Amino acid sequence: MKKSILSSVIFFCSFIALGQDMSYNQPWLSVVPGERSLAFGIPQRSVFSDVEGTPFANETFLDGTLYGLENDKLNGRFRYNAYTNEIEKDSESGPVALLRRDYYRITIGNDLYLIETFLDKGKIRRSYFVEKNKGRVRLLKKVSKEKSKVVFPGSSYRPERAARFRDDISYYLKVGSDPAVELDFKKKDLIKALADRQKEVQAFIKDNALRIRTEDDVLQVLTYYNSL
C-alpha cells in the first residue's frame, strides 16, 4: 500500500509538476547575490541574498499522515508550502514534494489538508485548503503567502528593504460538491450563503449573540445549520 503512495512522491529540488490546473505561484527563489553599483555616491542597486519570512505555513515538519485511495496511507513528517501551494514530506535525502492528486488527504499536526475546487474571479480552480468542519456545508481555510519585491533606495535617505513573505489567509464556504465561494466574516454574508434556512440561522445567531467576526462564530452556525 505504501508503495502506491510513494510512487506519487517526487523530489522537490529536481522536478516541478506541470499541467496542473491549480492556483499556485512558481517556486520561490532567493535573489542571487550581486554587487552594489554606485552613481554620484548614491546607491542605485543592491541585491539581497535572502528573503525575509518563510514560504511555509509551518516552518518545521510536523507528524502527519497521507491518505490515498482505498485507505492507503503513509505516515511521516510534512509541511505546507503556502507560496507554491505544495505539500512537502521530510526524508533522509531532503524535502520531497507530493504530486497533486484530488483524492489525497493529508494531516499535518492538527490540520487536515484537502484539494478542493473554488471560484476565483468567475473561474473554477483547485487548491489546497484546511478543512475546518464536516457536513453538507463546510468552512475551508486557504493559507497563502505573497512575496513582496525588493525595494531599492531611490536616494541616500530611503532605506533598502528586502523581499519578504506575507500571510494571506482567506475563508471559503463549500456547499456539497459545488465550488467553494469566498466568505467574509459578516452576518449578512453568512445568512445569504445559507438562505434556504435563513429564518432559523438568523434566530440562532441572535439567540447566541454571535457577531460572526471569528472562525469559531462561523463554525457554531455551520454546526447548527448542518444539524437541521
Side-chain angles (χ1 to χ4, degrees):
M1 290 185 179
K2 290 184 179 180
K3 185 177 180 181
S4 62
I5 294 181
L6 281 172
S7 63
S8 296
V9 177
I10 58 172
F11 281 100
F12 176 73
C13 296
S14 61
F15 183 80
I16 301 170
L18 300 177
Q20 305 285 338
D21 181 19
M22 301 286 290
S23 173
Y24 67 101
N25 297 307
Q26 294 300 314
W28 73 282
L29 297 173
S30 296
V31 179
V32 178
E35 294 183 355
R36 183 193 303 267
S37 61
L38 301 176
F40 306 107
I42 299 175
Q44 298 297 306
R45 179 178 181 273
S46 62
V47 182
F48 297 86
S49 61
D50 60 358
V51 181
E52 294 180 357
T54 175
F56 303 105
N58 44 289
E59 180 67 33
T60 59
F61 288 93
L62 301 177
D63 290 336
T65 302
L66 167 64
Y67 297 92
L69 292 174
E70 299 179 355
N71 295 320
D72 283 356
K73 67 179 182 178
L74 175 67
N75 295 322
R77 293 176 62 79
F78 302 86
R79 68 182 177 186
Y80 175 57
N81 189 321
Y83 184 65
T84 63
N85 197 13
E86 292 177 308
I87 288 180
E88 301 176 11
K89 181 182 180 299
D90 194 15
S91 73
E92 293 181 357
S93 57
V96 296
L98 306 181
L99 285 173
R100 301 179 185 92
R101 294 290 182 258
D102 290 351
Y103 51 82
Y104 278 171
R105 295 177 296 122
I106 305 102
T107 61
I108 302 178
N110 295 321
D111 292 329
L112 174 63
Y113 285 82
L114 306 171
I115 291 178
E116 298 281 6
T117 58
F118 71 104
L119 285 178
D120 178 27
K121 298 178 181 178
K123 295 183 178 180
I124 298 178
R125 302 187 185 279
R126 297 195 300 275
S127 176
Y128 278 111
F129 290 88
V130 177
E131 183 183 70
K132 304 305 295 186
N133 71 301
K134 301 291 185 181
R136 189 174 77 87
V137 179
R138 293 176 292 144
L139 181 66
L140 304 175
K141 182 178 180 180
K142 191 173 189 295
V143 181
S144 303
K145 294 276 187 173
E146 295 180 347
K147 189 178 73 170
S148 66
K149 295 181 179 180
V150 176
V151 175
F152 300 111
S155 69
S156 59
Y157 301 102
R158 184 181 178 186
E160 302 172 350
R161 188 166 69 235
R164 67 188 64 185
F165 288 105
R166 295 174 178 170
D167 293 332
D168 181 16
I169 297 175
S170 53
Y171 288 86
Y172 287 73
L173 273 188
K174 187 169 179 65
V175 181
S177 59
D178 294 340
V181 178
E182 190 168 3
L183 174 72
D184 290 329
F185 282 3
K186 299 177 181 178
K187 288 183 183 180
K188 64 177 183 178
D189 291 346
L190 182 59
I191 292 171
K192 182 179 179 180
L194 306 175
D196 61 323
R197 294 285 190 170
Q198 180 175 334
K199 291 183 179 180
E200 294 96 323
V201 170
Q202 283 179 320
F204 180 83
I205 291 174
K206 182 178 180 180
D207 293 344
N208 290 274
L210 298 176
R211 300 181 61 193
I212 313 301
R213 289 290 185 269
T214 66
E215 180 182 303
D216 184 63
D217 288 346
V218 176
L219 290 175
Q220 286 187 59
V221 176
L222 293 184
T223 298
Y224 169 72
Y225 175 88
N226 287 328
S227 71
L228 296 176

